[in-house]
Amino acid sequence: MHGAIHIQKENGEGRDFHLPHHILQQLSIQEETPMIVEFGSKAAAVTIKGTKERHARLCTRTADELLFPDQGSFQLRNDEGHLRIGPHLGILAAGREKYLPGKRKRFNRVLQNDPLQSGILTIFSLDGIQSRHTQLSGYMYNPLDESWEKRLLPYPDVVYKRMSLKKELKLSFERHVNGAVFNQAVYSKWQVYQYLKKDPSLLPHLPPTALFTGGSEAVDWMNQWGSLFLKPVKGSFGRKTIQVSPSAGSRTWHVRTREDGTNMEKCLTPEEAAIHLNKSIGRKPYLAQKCLDIAFNHQVIDYRIYLHKDRQAEWKAAGWVAKTGAPQSIISNLAGGGLASSAEDVVRSCFSLSKEEVDHLREEVFSVCCRAAERLEQESGTVFGYFGVDIALDQKRKIWLIEMNHRYVDDRLPLYAGENELYWHIQKSYVDALKGMCGFPQEHIPDPR
């Protein structure tokens, strides 16, 4: 491995790859050595030649087979007779090609503020993937001229996908993407809980949780936990959640839901509640959790922490946002009437903390979340590049892990909270994760945040 080198096409029908002598020495390659050169998912046979020039030259015939651009600054990696050129970073950004120009504008800002030092970045759409030939049509960003070019390219070294893939495409990427397609697998809340509870350091941060198998169990949980929160194993946005809490001075229970932006409540005996829960939930898989004391001024408050892998493939937190539920609502989600705001401001207000205390609490929260990301990746065997972790802080400031969002993470919350800088930092974090997982080492640049 070595630093970036300029590679350009040269006219010719041969299969020579001319590399500067100092590069041959660094890669431990002898002149006239036959090798397989790889660019993304494409490969071609070449003969290595030495040159006194400072740049490398790849004959047109081979470059065309590899779908290699006319020129660029790349890194080289010698993998036991296979010479890899890269990195080629890929973002599956849209379902249809016609939406790519708008996506391109978003990453323009990211790449202008933090240019690629080597390699290329391609944004592409589902309808641009040609799985039979392991190639795709998309917009390539080449840092040499800081411009986008629409062209045909091989599968990238690593892919960040912003949407689901059909089975055949998923398998095609798994076979032919050299690095990783991160956040490929999807796990239910129950599966995530099973993975995380294996870590003794995380267990104190996990609310007591069980699978709901019938309304009759609600009596036992209520006796054990005091109050109960039920949510779909595979649900999102707080939909179909149910809260059960005891009535003061009575043996009746309050059963609360939020439907179409309206708080709904029934006052039932335990027996009636069991029948009601069986009817409402039926055979749908649900989780039962101990209800946490996270309401402040009659409003539920939790927090979204944005995690990503950095250029060294280590977990980092880009930042966080507070979510405050509508008055008397059992959920905090914006879809249910909640509001997004500055996490630091909300924490300071809820707990009357100084700036130093807020900073310390933030770092503690981020540390717990990064540990959870490491554990989930380790236990599941799945490669992840980002998470949107939902946590809560109860009245005693205890940190509770609520959910590890890893399928479609809503990165617009910072915009609703007026945290524009955080929003752009998150967009940059996607590119950082690609760099860290592409198989080519990245230069260490301290995070300005």
Side-chain angles (χ1 to χ4, degrees):
M1 191 74 69
H2 67 96
I5 182 172
H6 183 83
I7 304 175
Q8 65 183 42
K9 286 184 184 181
E10 69 168 357
N11 292 328
E13 291 298 316
R15 291 192 171 275
D16 296 338
F17 190 9
H18 296 267
L19 293 173
H21 293 294
H22 71 282
I23 298 296
L24 294 178
Q25 185 176 4
Q26 289 175 17
L27 295 173
S28 300
I29 299 175
Q30 299 293 324
E31 287 194 56
E32 304 297 332
T33 300
M35 296 189 76
I36 300 297
V37 63
E38 299 174 343
F39 178 58
S41 59
K42 297 294 185 180
V46 299
T47 299
I48 301 298
K49 302 282 189 178
T51 177
K52 295 180 180 179
E53 298 174 341
R54 302 297 297 176
H55 64 271
R57 290 178 284 115
L58 187 62
C59 68
T60 300
R61 179 181 176 184
T62 302
D64 290 345
E65 288 181 15
L66 297 173
L67 301 180
F68 192 78
D70 292 339
Q71 60 177 334
S73 181
F74 292 92
Q75 295 183 57
L76 298 176
R77 194 179 76 204
N78 185 3
D79 290 343
E80 299 179 357
H82 290 242
L83 185 59
R84 291 200 61 81
I85 305 174
H88 178 195
L89 314 178
I91 299 176
L92 175 54
R96 301 178 66 180
E97 186 180 280
K98 68 179 183 179
Y99 298 118
L100 290 180
K103 308 293 183 181
R104 192 176 64 190
K105 290 179 182 178
R106 176 194 300 182
F107 288 100
N108 254 344
R109 174 167 173 171
V110 173
L111 295 169
Q112 286 171 1
N113 292 336
D114 185 28
L116 292 177
Q117 301 300 312
S118 61
I120 57 172
L121 172 72
T122 301
I123 61 172
F124 60 99
S125 58
L126 281 174
D127 62 0
I129 301 173
Q130 302 173 17
S131 58
R132 180 178 296 181
H133 303 290
T134 66
Q135 60 194 36
L136 52 86
S137 173
Y139 286 91
M140 179 194 78
Y141 183 85
N142 192 325
L144 276 185
D145 51 14
E146 298 183 352
S147 66
W148 296 90
E149 175 189 350
K150 185 181 177 185
R151 61 171 294 135
L152 197 62
L153 289 157
Y155 282 2
D157 294 308
V158 60
V159 174
Y160 160 47
K161 65 182 186 66
R162 297 180 65 91
M163 62 203 61
S164 59
L165 294 173
K166 291 183 179 180
K167 184 177 180 179
E168 57 269 23
L169 279 180
K170 183 178 178 180
L171 291 173
S172 179
F173 273 21
E174 287 176 351
R175 291 185 187 124
H176 302 290
V177 172
N178 187 63
V181 181
F182 55 80
N183 291 53
Q184 181 83 299
V186 178
Y187 297 98
S188 71
K189 297 181 182 70
W190 179 245
Q191 289 173 307
V192 171
Y193 174 76
Q194 293 296 312
Y195 287 135
L196 296 184
K197 75 174 187 177
K198 295 179 181 180
D199 189 325
S201 70
L202 294 176
L203 198 55
H205 301 289
L206 299 173
T209 302
L211 274 178
F212 178 86
T213 57
S216 59
E217 290 185 319
V219 176
D220 295 332
W221 289 325
M222 289 291 286
N223 290 334
Q224 183 179 353
W225 298 338
S227 56
L228 180 65
F229 200 78
L230 299 164
K231 53 187 177 182
V233 168
K234 295 184 178 180
S236 58
F237 302 109
R239 298 189 187 103
K240 306 296 183 180
T241 54
I242 304 170
Q243 185 189 62
V244 184
S245 57
S247 300
S250 170
R251 72 178 296 269
T252 57
W253 293 350
H254 293 288
V255 181
R256 299 184 177 93
T257 59
R258 186 171 178 84
E259 301 174 10
D260 300 324
T262 303
N263 297 323
M264 309 291 288
E265 182 174 333
K266 294 179 183 291
C267 194
L268 305 171
T269 65
E271 295 78 15
E272 291 170 336
I275 294 172
H276 173 73
L277 293 176
N278 284 333
K279 184 178 179 180
S280 299
I281 296 175
R283 295 181 177 273
K284 296 186 289 291
Y286 260 64
L287 285 186
Q289 284 187 336
K290 178 181 179 180
C291 200
L292 304 174
D293 187 10
I294 58 172
F296 297 79
N297 294 323
H298 308 291
Q299 292 177 285
V300 171
I301 298 177
D302 58 25
Y303 305 85
R304 167 66 55 82
I305 290 79
Y306 290 95
L307 298 186
H308 68 96
K309 281 183 177 172
D310 65 11
R311 299 177 188 189
Q312 284 68 49
E314 297 177 354
W315 286 105
K316 294 289 186 295
W320 60 337
V321 173
K323 298 180 292 175
T324 303
Q328 306 299 330
S329 175
I330 63 172
I331 59 175
S332 65
N333 300 71
L334 272 64
L339 295 174
S341 54
S342 162
E344 274 87 355
D345 290 348
V346 172
V347 167
R348 191 178 297 112
S349 173
C350 287
F351 302 108
S352 301
L353 300 181
S354 67
K355 182 182 183 304
E356 291 73 19
E357 291 172 320
V358 171
D359 291 344
H360 177 77
L361 180 58
R362 181 188 63 239
E363 293 310 309
E364 187 179 357
V365 167
F366 287 1
S367 177
V368 170
C369 292
C370 287
R371 176 59 185 159
E374 292 171 359
R375 190 69 184 196
L376 181 53
E377 191 169 44
Q378 175 186 339
E379 291 292 336
S380 68
T382 296
V383 177
F384 292 101
Y386 62 90
F387 284 103
V389 185
D390 288 335
I391 67 103
L393 298 169
D394 66 17
Q395 302 290 340
K396 296 180 180 180
R397 302 204 313 249
K398 182 173 181 178
I399 301 168
W400 294 100
L401 286 164
I402 305 299
E403 190 166 352
M404 302 284 291
N405 298 285
H406 57 280
R407 190 180 182 189
Y408 307 123
V409 177
D410 187 355
D411 55 19
R412 298 169 297 173
L413 289 180
L415 295 178
Y416 302 141
E419 301 269 1
N420 289 10
E421 182 181 348
L422 174 56
Y423 171 80
W424 287 109
H425 188 56
I426 293 168
Q427 305 310 306
K428 172 183 173 293
S429 76
Y430 298 139
V431 179
D432 282 345
L434 288 167
K435 291 177 179 178
M437 300 165 69
C438 66
F440 293 86
Q442 300 297 309
E443 72 287 353
H444 177 70
I445 299 178
D447 192 330
R449 294 174 60 89

